[in-house]
Amino acid sequence: MPQVQPKLRKFFDYLQVRQRLVLCAFALLAIVNAYSIRLCLDFSLSRIARDCNELAAVQLENAPSTWRKAPKVNSDRAHGRYAANKVLAAINAFAAKFHSTANSPYASRNVREVRINQRARAGHKEKPARPTRQPRDRQTRQSRRLARNAPTPSYPRQKSGMSCETQMYQHPRREPEPITVTNSADIWTKEVQVLITISFYVGYMITHIPGGRLAERYGGKWILGASILSSGILTLLTPTIVRHGGPKSVMLLRMVIGLFEGPTFPAVSAMLAQWVPEKERGRLCSSVLSAGEIGIIFMHLVSGFTIDEQDWAVAFYVVGSGAILWFMGFVVVCYSKPDDSPYIQNSEREYIKSQVCETLETEAGDANEAVPWSNMLMNAPIWALIASNMQHDWNQQEFAKELEQMLLDLEAKGKSYWNELETSIRLMAPHLYSWLASLTSGSFSDYLISEGILNRTQTRRLMSWLVFISVTMYFIHDKESSARPWSILAFGAYYAGIKLLPLDMSPNFAGTLMGITNGLGALPGLVLPVLEKLEEEYAIIGSIRATLWFICAGYISGEVQSYNRLEPTANRS
């Protein structure tokens, strides 16, 4: 590092690169990586289940004959009969050790059974005796011959020499399915795939608030770096765990990835609060926080091009490797605060300090102040922000599923991704337009504030009202081609308005506030199947969602809140 820094400093000075732009570029790529890691398994899960089932069929062909005779795993009735016969055989074998004499009850029962079989062959209809065993060494030649020719159904002889002859436990012959730990079609069901998908959000929601607080106290650089690096390494290990661990291991893996990825947005917000001037907040921060749209596009392209490779694991290797490469560049170039960066010019450092929020504390010791949790949770704009984030995440996941469904249709038709490239571009275009719309609306917000046309709260509410109008029009034109432009406009206004509120309301606790609002906003990811079913069955759900946008637009605030100001160091207890 000491040898690299002087060379990088000369490089940046020669190109006159602004370090706040460099940090924003790496923060944008961090969110792209986070979304790619999140969606990588979602886009590949159906292909994983299909390939595992095909592998199960191959294992059945190569399996030993004794394994193929196992009962069908998904047939409770057959499995119960098989288990009952196993237990019965074990009991008879154990009892035979103590009743091996000719005078034993087992021998007398066998004689009665032979006589019954003789009468049955003679035409007498008599109910067979209950299943019994008899010692082999005590049978006469005649009884053995009669028992061999008797029509009573029997199971194969055991190693102990006993025969388990029974009729009540006999099950019909059928070709069994393979029993494997990881590749059974009865394990990779649709229900299990849904559990795997939502397991990510269990861990993702847990670490939002702790990650934001750690970023405020110790700097966002290493919290963000560790988050993306750990998630990238686990993504590289995903194909191995899928092939050797099974669905339960994949669920646990996805939950751990969610735990590591949770601090991403809070750490990014804590760094943006230190680096981005207020006059540029709309343009720079909206371009960074809307990078998830680019991540969706990137993951769709990677998954689409790997269809021709016939190997779903390639997507995991590409995404995981990209996260590691990002980490290597990020730790060398980026720093938590402008004062820590050796590459920033003095003029830019002073400009940032003069343009950030007046109440922003830039000293390391000030970050140890306790968080005013009660004031935050009693603040109405925070709950409006949480409800808005829930609405946005719900819509974003629905749009991502359209791209996933398109890939499934391609595989079902056996077509190459290049054959449907035009359709793919048509589906990806709204995500790209949403990101570009966020840049436009963010720049427009900065212009309104800097020129004094509107204050910050009025500007954020203007964007929120624009979101409400666009969402309402989207629900009116649902399932029509004219609905997509409204969704693009809604997403662009959302990133330039509502998504910036944690930075506006509390720059000192931007990481914690983003952890609260974005963490709870991810709740639709846990119950998305239920929400989709409700939306299909009840048309009023769309009206309820539009009404929530209307209420949220009236309660949000872009002013610095009272809980943002920290107590002076001398007054701390």
Side-chain angles (χ1 to χ4, degrees):
M1 289 290 292
Q3 298 176 353
V4 177
Q5 287 182 356
K7 297 180 180 179
L8 285 176
R9 175 62 185 269
K10 292 180 180 179
F11 175 76
F12 289 135
D13 290 344
Y14 176 76
L15 296 178
Q16 296 293 314
V17 177
R18 298 175 182 178
Q19 288 302 305
R20 63 181 182 275
L21 300 181
V22 175
L23 180 125
C24 288
F26 273 94
L28 184 150
L29 292 176
I31 295 179
V32 170
N33 276 289
Y35 268 78
S36 301
I37 292 170
R38 181 192 310 183
L39 297 174
C40 191
L41 185 63
D42 296 347
F43 279 28
S44 305
L45 195 53
S46 298
R47 299 170 63 188
I48 290 173
R50 181 202 63 195
D51 291 353
C52 288
N53 294 337
E54 291 178 355
L55 179 61
V58 174
Q59 290 179 349
L60 176 62
E61 295 178 358
N62 300 330
S65 57
T66 56
W67 180 37
R68 294 188 185 184
K69 293 180 180 180
K72 197 173 183 180
V73 68
N74 63 341
S75 177
D76 296 336
R77 188 176 180 183
H79 186 275
R81 291 169 175 172
Y82 181 77
N85 284 315
K86 292 281 290 185
V87 173
L88 181 61
I91 293 175
N92 288 335
F94 179 79
K97 295 181 181 180
F98 300 96
H99 301 281
S100 57
T101 62
N103 298 327
S104 67
Y106 282 74
S108 61
R109 290 178 182 176
N110 187 72
V111 173
R112 289 197 302 269
E113 183 178 352
V114 171
R115 292 174 180 174
I116 291 172
N117 292 334
Q118 290 176 343
R119 293 171 183 171
R121 287 195 299 272
H124 297 281
K125 296 182 180 179
E126 185 171 348
K127 186 176 180 181
R130 298 181 62 182
T132 58
R133 285 179 177 271
Q134 72 170 22
R136 186 176 180 181
D137 52 350
R138 295 295 182 181
Q139 287 183 324
T140 62
R141 292 184 179 179
Q142 183 179 3
S143 63
R144 287 200 301 268
R145 184 172 62 255
L146 293 175
R148 191 181 304 115
N149 297 329
T152 305
S154 63
Y155 286 93
R157 292 181 179 270
Q158 309 296 323
K159 291 183 178 180
S160 60
M162 307 300 295
S163 64
C164 179
E165 300 181 355
T166 179
Q167 194 170 9
M168 60 184 299
Y169 293 113
Q170 184 179 5
H171 57 84
R173 296 180 180 179
R174 62 177 66 183
E175 186 66 22
E177 295 182 359
I179 304 175
T180 63
V181 177
T182 61
N183 299 314
S184 174
D186 300 308
I187 297 179
W188 289 95
T189 60
K190 287 294 183 182
E191 291 76 10
V192 171
Q193 294 179 40
V194 171
L195 291 177
I196 292 174
T197 301
I198 67 177
S199 62
F200 170 87
Y201 295 95
V202 176
Y204 184 70
M205 295 175 61
I206 292 174
T207 53
H208 258 73
I209 297 176
R213 191 61 190 136
L214 290 173
E216 292 164 355
R217 298 191 63 176
Y218 304 107
K221 173 182 178 178
W222 292 109
I223 302 300
L224 179 61
S227 175
I228 300 300
L229 177 64
S230 303
S231 302
I233 293 175
L234 292 177
T235 301
L236 289 174
L237 297 176
T238 299
T240 302
I241 294 177
V242 167
R243 288 163 176 160
H244 297 88
K248 292 184 179 179
S249 299
V250 177
M251 289 182 194
L252 179 61
L253 173 68
R254 290 290 291 174
M255 188 175 68
V256 174
I257 292 177
L259 288 171
F260 282 121
E261 193 174 311
T264 301
F265 271 95
V268 167
S269 299
M271 296 180 71
L272 292 178
Q274 296 285 340
W275 277 91
V276 178
E278 284 187 319
K279 293 183 177 180
E280 303 175 7
R281 183 176 293 169
R283 176 170 55 90
L284 294 181
C285 294
S286 62
S287 65
V288 171
L289 297 176
S290 62
E293 305 296 329
I294 302 178
I296 295 174
I297 295 173
F298 174 75
M299 194 62 248
H300 176 72
L301 290 173
V302 172
S303 300
F305 289 129
T306 55
I307 290 179
D308 297 335
E309 299 294 334
Q310 299 296 325
D311 188 1
W312 50 265
V314 174
F316 291 87
Y317 298 143
V318 172
V319 173
S321 301
I324 294 175
L325 292 176
W326 171 90
F327 174 81
M328 296 171 61
F330 176 74
V331 296
V332 173
V333 175
C334 297
Y335 290 83
S336 300
K337 298 180 180 180
D339 291 336
D340 301 334
S341 176
Y343 311 119
I344 189 172
Q345 297 180 357
N346 293 331
S347 59
E348 184 182 6
R349 183 184 292 111
E350 295 301 324
Y351 170 74
I352 293 175
K353 286 185 176 182
S354 64
Q355 294 296 323
V356 295
C357 181
E358 296 178 356
T359 59
L360 177 65
E361 302 292 346
T362 58
E363 300 296 330
D366 295 325
N368 296 326
E369 182 66 26
V371 179
W373 297 107
S374 58
N375 293 338
M376 282 187 176
L377 297 179
M378 296 298 293
N379 189 250
I382 286 184
W383 291 102
L385 182 56
I386 292 173
S388 301
N389 284 337
M390 288 183 180
Q391 296 282 342
H392 168 263
D393 283 14
W394 186 351
N395 287 334
Q396 191 178 54
Q397 292 185 40
E398 287 180 343
F399 294 153
K401 282 187 173 294
E402 292 181 1
L403 297 176
E404 180 183 350
Q405 185 61 42
M406 184 261 181
L407 295 177
L408 295 177
D409 294 341
L410 280 181
E411 286 189 289
K413 296 177 182 178
K415 293 183 178 181
S416 172
Y417 186 75
W418 292 103
N419 297 337
E420 298 292 336
L421 188 59
E422 182 179 354
T423 305
S424 300
I425 294 176
R426 192 183 307 114
L427 290 176
M428 290 186 297
H431 296 279
L432 178 60
Y433 294 156
S434 296
W435 183 73
L436 295 176
S438 69
L439 294 181
T440 304
S441 55
S443 301
F444 181 63
S445 299
D446 291 338
Y447 172 77
L448 293 176
I449 296 172
S450 61
E451 295 297 326
I453 301 174
L454 297 175
N455 59 31
R456 195 171 302 277
T457 297
Q458 292 171 341
T459 303
R460 301 300 186 238
R461 286 184 177 178
L462 174 63
M463 294 298 160
S464 301
W465 286 111
L466 187 58
V467 172
F468 163 70
I469 296 173
S470 302
V471 169
T472 303
M473 297 302 296
Y474 174 78
F475 285 126
I476 292 176
H477 298 280
D478 192 17
K479 307 301 181 182
E480 298 179 8
S481 58
S482 57
R484 266 312 174 86
W486 292 109
S487 68
I488 294 170
L489 185 59
F491 273 49
Y494 168 83
Y495 289 118
I498 297 173
K499 198 68 174 179
L500 302 181
L501 290 178
L503 298 169
D504 295 332
M505 296 167 60
S506 180
N508 289 322
F509 298 110
T512 302
L513 197 56
M514 180 63 80
I516 295 173
T517 57
N518 203 69
L520 294 178
L523 184 61
L526 283 175
V527 293
L528 185 61
V530 179
L531 296 177
E532 290 177 341
K533 186 175 181 180
L534 289 175
E535 195 171 22
E536 291 177 358
E537 295 180 354
Y538 304 98
I540 196 175
I541 298 297
S543 301
I544 295 175
R545 295 177 64 181
T547 304
L548 286 176
W549 279 114
F550 176 79
I551 297 174
C552 295
Y555 276 94
I556 66 170
S557 173
E559 302 299 327
V560 177
Q561 302 298 303
S562 59
Y563 49 77
N564 175 69
R565 189 176 296 275
L566 305 178
E567 294 182 2
T569 306
N571 296 335
R572 293 179 187 170
S573 56

